[in-house]
Amino acid sequence: MNLLVTLNAGYLHQLRVLLASILAADPSGCFTVYLCHSSLTEEQLRSAAEGFDPDRLQIVSVPVSRDFLKDAPVTDRYPTEMYYRIFAARLLPDTLDRVLYLDPDIVVLQPLKKLFELPMGDALFAAASHVRRSLQRLNQLRLDMEPDGLYINSGVMVMNLAQLRREQDEQAVFSYLEAHQNRLMLPDQDVISGLYGDRILPLDPWRWNMTERLFAAEPRGSVRASLDWVRQNSAVIHYCGRNKPWKEHYLGSFDVFYREAEALLPG
């Protein structure tokens, strides 16, 4: 299974927690993980793989020049690396037809094979949406999306690389960034949703992109409002936003999954 993660050195430990959880969730699975970055050293890359079974996990460095997308809007919260997923078809080997992108602030509870092998047809991406219908419409207006376009969370995406290579217009991405830069709130997923929203297969967020916010919004007494239900039914736990279990003052109950995954780290 081919996986893609984009990151900088600040997320190396979280990457290792993610990798440990993936291997534990699928004991017979083998994975090639492409790390897209612009600043990791050889020592840091070696440390990312340290202690993992090399027969099951191969890490491939995909270095990107710091000048790549030098004019794209960035902040401390949204570094240049987040844009690399938009151009995964350009950055990854031509031999790859698809890749599963995962943010490094994720832990995996169940095998990812069904997600990775999802039939996509001519869709460019498969991803989950976290927004209600009313906000969906506001995002469509803000980003000039197609009427049936889907606003997605870009932390978990199956990417149809073969189709993207045939269709993606890189200049259209740059033009979109320039035209909408004052309206971008979550720049990478704004761009993906704005440009490709009508070419995205929707995923069940409760299974493939489960978050603390989704859980907190579930009415008390609902069958889904329990950690046991999440453990049995959610394959991917995504700690999106500022509320991270490795930071002080984390609010929520999903930190248990992160601590369990962290305990799986080799050595």
Side-chain angles (χ1 to χ4, degrees), residues 88-110:
R90 170 180 168 182
L91 295 171
L92 294 176
D94 291 343
T95 53
L96 300 185
D97 289 335
R98 70 167 59 191
V99 73
L100 172 57
Y101 173 82
L102 297 172
D103 272 351
D105 56 353
I106 277 173
V107 297
V108 173
L109 304 184
Q110 297 178 13

Side-chain angles (χ1 to χ4, degrees), residues 18 81 97 144 165 191 215 260:
L18 167 62
E81 286 87 350
D97 289 335
D144 296 319
R165 290 190 192 100
V191 172
F215 186 69
E260 289 173 356

